[in-house]
Amino acid sequence: MGGPPDREAGLSVGAVAQRLGVAASTLRTWDRRYGIGPSRRSSGTHRRYSPADVARLEIMQRMILEGAPPGEAARVALAEATEPAEPAEPTGSAGPSARGHGAGGNRVPVATAGGGAAGEPGAARPEEVRGLARAAMAMDAHAAAHAVRTAIGRDGVVRAWDGLIVPVLAGIGRKYAATGDCVEVEHLLSAVLLGCLLEVPPPAAPRNARPVLLACAPEEQHSLPVHALAAALAEAGVAVRLLGARVPPRALAAAIRRTGASVVFVWSQTAETGAPEWLAELPGSRPAARLLAGGPGWARDRLPDAVRPVATLPAAIAAVESFFNPA
Ligand code: B12
């Protein structure tokens, strides 16, 4: 989209709306309300967005995604340089969106990602977070996958997850909570992320004889974190069996028996799936401490004694590894 002839003439409101993944009416509202619109018009009344106009809108949209009120986002975007925007290119350093910019840059929610502060292993590269967020909002699966593969290949799964992927997921989640929009973005980005995480090859010579089982709680559809854990454990040389989303208790119990699993990790994202009593019935709960529970959904105060809660991806890896490397 947006090849040379388009760039020459400027993009229509529909083309820009499609590129940004917002409604055309939203763009008109932003123009009317915040003065952030097309800088030129063709054939009298038709709006034509130049590359610089699109760049400003992308900055505005990114800041909104990161939690800024639209008025503030428009102010910052309008104050930005007016060079043409590159297409959502996640690792590029050129173009206005790659530069730090006051409020928006500070809004990248790294601190909520559980990966540590700047300079620590999970620290974000803000420009990459913005690139992935932009690609996701533009429904550009190719650019999003490129960004994620690049980060995983360069930094490993844990850093890519905590420093890049979690901030973007959290931002999209906040956007959904505020507006009810972006479910399609959640779905597209999830599909991209699952694909990238599944590309991490299993270890050729695993450190563990008995596998680690990874599953979501019954009816829990948020499976990305168990995929992240599977990929990170694969990198660490640990063989896993990944059962994925919505695993019924009976099926998990059968899987534990059939695989002779050494450690079982169960994820609950939402309170609806976080009643933990059934965990006590799993075969893996005896002997104690073979069961790990992760995710914000669990009612932690009701976790059976045999279940150890883990709060972060690195903590989950360390907990799993502790069974293979007893102190
Ligand atoms: C991707 C996503 C989806 C995808 C899931 C695809 C998949 N295969 O996983 C799809 C589109 C299917 C989906 C559906 C829904 N979702 Co949804 N989704 C998300 C989103 C954006 C990311 C989920 C995720 O992977 N989180 C993992 C990390 C990123 O987030 P976290 O749990 O906050 O991480 C913390 C810790 O858990 C820890 N951590 C991070 N990673 C790891 C890894 C490990 C191993 C460990 C131990 C710890 C750990 O560190 C963080 C800081 O403490 C979240 C937003 C969010 N903030 O999570 C919403 C969110 C979870 N979804 C939400 C909702 C409401 C839904 C839907 C009901 C409606 C909808 N939005 O479509 C449906 C139905 C789901 C169902 N019935 O189960 C709400 C849940 C609200 C609530 N508290 O109950 C959220 C929070 C969005 C929001 N802000 O409203 N969703």
Side-chain angles (χ1 to χ4, degrees):
M1 200 194 316
D6 262 344
R7 288 175 84 93
E8 193 73 17
L11 293 174
S12 68
V13 67
V16 177
Q18 200 180 355
R19 176 167 169 162
L20 268 64
V22 301
S25 58
T26 302
L27 292 180
R28 292 193 191 95
T29 305
W30 287 358
D31 187 9
R32 210 175 44 246
R33 205 170 283 170
Y34 309 115
I36 184 162
S39 49
R40 59 173 181 259
R41 290 166 201 260
S42 69
S43 43
T45 54
H46 288 295
R47 293 148 186 269
R48 288 286 165 188
Y49 289 77
S50 71
D53 297 333
V54 177
R56 279 194 292 270
L57 286 168
E58 285 176 337
I59 292 169
M60 173 163 177
Q61 184 196 37
R62 187 184 70 229
M63 287 188 62
I64 292 173
L65 179 65
E66 290 167 0
E72 185 191 338
R75 242 189 339 273
V76 172
L78 285 165
E80 283 283 341
T82 53
E83 293 157 32
E86 294 303 316
E89 196 37 70
T91 52
S93 59
S97 57
R99 260 178 272 128
H101 65 88
N106 294 334
R107 276 204 177 72
V108 176
V110 183
T112 64
E120 291 179 355
R125 296 177 183 222
E127 74 281 5
E128 291 190 14
V129 173
R130 288 195 288 268
L132 180 58
R134 268 202 306 166
M137 288 303 288
M139 304 285 284
D140 187 340
H142 181 75
H146 177 68
V148 172
R149 276 196 201 103
T150 301
I152 290 177
R154 185 193 58 220
D155 300 332
V157 171
V158 174
R159 286 183 188 211
W161 176 254
D162 280 337
L164 173 65
I165 298 169
V166 168
V168 175
L169 287 172
I172 292 171
R174 274 200 306 278
K175 171 113 172 144
Y176 167 78
T179 63
D181 292 340
C182 287
V183 173
E184 71 286 1
V185 176
E186 277 182 19
H187 277 274
L188 181 104
L189 181 60
S190 298
V192 166
L193 294 173
L194 292 176
C196 293
L197 292 166
L198 283 166
E199 284 168 9
V200 177
R207 293 157 55 197
N208 51 324
R210 294 161 59 202
V212 174
L213 270 185
L214 308 178
C216 288
E219 298 311 320
E220 180 56 70
Q221 289 186 41
H222 294 92
S223 60
L224 282 169
V226 291
H227 280 265
L229 180 55
L233 286 171
E235 273 185 352
V238 176
V240 304
R241 300 285 183 279
L242 177 55
L243 302 184
R246 304 175 69 180
V247 181
R250 273 189 62 200
L252 184 54
I256 293 168
R257 284 192 213 95
R258 292 183 60 185
T259 61
S262 52
V263 187
V264 181
F265 174 92
V266 188
W267 179 265
S268 166
Q269 181 76 40
T270 62
E272 286 76 24
T273 67
E277 285 73 16
W278 63 275
L279 293 169
E281 306 305 318
L282 289 173
S285 58
R286 292 181 200 84
R290 292 263 154 123
L291 272 172
L292 303 173
W298 292 115
R300 297 246 165 161
D301 51 338
R302 288 165 28 212
L303 280 178
D305 289 344
V307 180
R308 192 200 296 183
V310 283
T312 65
L313 179 56
I317 296 164
V320 168
E321 288 184 323
S322 70
F323 292 108
F324 310 136
N325 309 314

